[in-house]
Amino acid sequence: FHLTCLLLIPATSSAMGAEIIRSQCINAFELAFPKQQWTTENDLRAFVDNVSTDRKADTYFACPLGGGIGSELSNFDNADLLEWFLTAFNPNVLRYTEIIMSEVSVVNNVCSMDKLFFASIGNCHVHAMSRLMIEVDEDGKLVRWLDHFDQEDLNQKMGVCNLQLGENDEL
């Protein structure tokens, strides 16, 4: 009986640890992308304020992963990440949000999930699915953000919207 209890305790604490990590990952995500509203510059500021300072040398951000120059940051601080967002996805220019679309799985301090990027440009709407991996430190601060999506597909959809907007401007 005592042996059984000893075996159950680590499994229970491990499961609780996974729930804490899951909650921290979802919190990190929802700082930038609050539910049922467009992302704002203030949301992005809250998100980047959650970047780990203790593990700055380990920080890595990729959107998309493998997207080439300008899509990846390493050894960054919150000001670097905010500058990246305001250049690539400035919410003052583009209305967008992201939504978690799957269960959030956890291995160690890394979460993975499917998410939907949704943007609105005038009367044109763009969406793209991706797989996101987030690593948090012991305090729940962001260490790594790896977003896997088809950049060509998203660029093509955004281009179609821009063409539609251009045609509407000429009418």
Side-chain angles (χ1 to χ4, degrees):
F1 177 76
H2 293 292
L3 182 59
T4 304
C5 288
L6 290 174
L7 292 175
L8 291 178
I9 290 170
T12 304
S13 64
S14 175
M16 287 190 57
E19 281 305 312
I20 290 169
I21 298 298
R22 180 178 289 106
S23 175
Q24 291 172 333
C25 289
I26 292 170
N27 179 63
F29 180 89
E30 289 181 349
L31 283 171
F33 311 110
K35 291 180 181 176
Q36 299 181 355
Q37 70 180 46
W38 298 114
T39 296
T40 67
E41 186 173 332
N42 285 338
D43 298 328
L44 294 178
R45 288 182 186 283
F47 174 73
V48 302
D49 283 345
N50 194 44
V51 170
S52 177
T53 53
D54 294 341
R55 293 190 44 203
K56 182 180 186 278
D58 296 330
T59 56
Y60 185 74
F61 180 87
C63 182
L65 184 62
I69 296 172
S71 70
E72 300 177 18
L73 295 173
S74 59
N75 192 16
F76 62 87
D77 60 21
N78 58 353
D80 298 328
L81 187 55
L82 182 62
E83 181 182 340
W84 183 91
F85 265 108
L86 293 179
T87 301
F89 291 97
N90 189 331
N92 301 314
V93 176
L94 176 68
R95 289 190 329 164
Y96 69 95
T97 193
E98 297 192 7
I99 304 163
I100 297 172
M101 302 296 289
S102 69
E103 290 296 318
V104 177
S105 59
V106 178
V107 176
N108 298 322
N109 281 16
V110 178
C111 300
S112 61
M113 66 203 79
D114 294 327
K115 68 172 185 65
L116 175 72
F117 169 83
F118 182 81
S120 179
I121 307 166
N123 290 328
C124 188
H125 305 289
V126 174
H127 66 277
M129 289 293 294
S130 67
R131 186 77 180 157
L132 176 64
M133 294 189 327
I134 299 173
E135 180 183 352
V136 293
D137 68 11
E138 307 75 43
D139 299 321
K141 300 285 189 178
L142 181 69
V143 178
R144 290 187 177 98
W145 176 283
L146 308 172
D147 198 348
H148 300 265
F149 67 88
D150 185 339
Q151 186 173 14
E152 281 186 34
D153 178 59
L154 182 58
N155 288 345
Q156 183 179 23
K157 290 175 181 176
M158 297 290 275
V160 168
C161 273
N162 287 332
L163 285 173
Q164 288 177 353
L165 290 174
E167 289 173 6
N168 290 338
D169 290 344
E170 292 172 6
L171 295 176

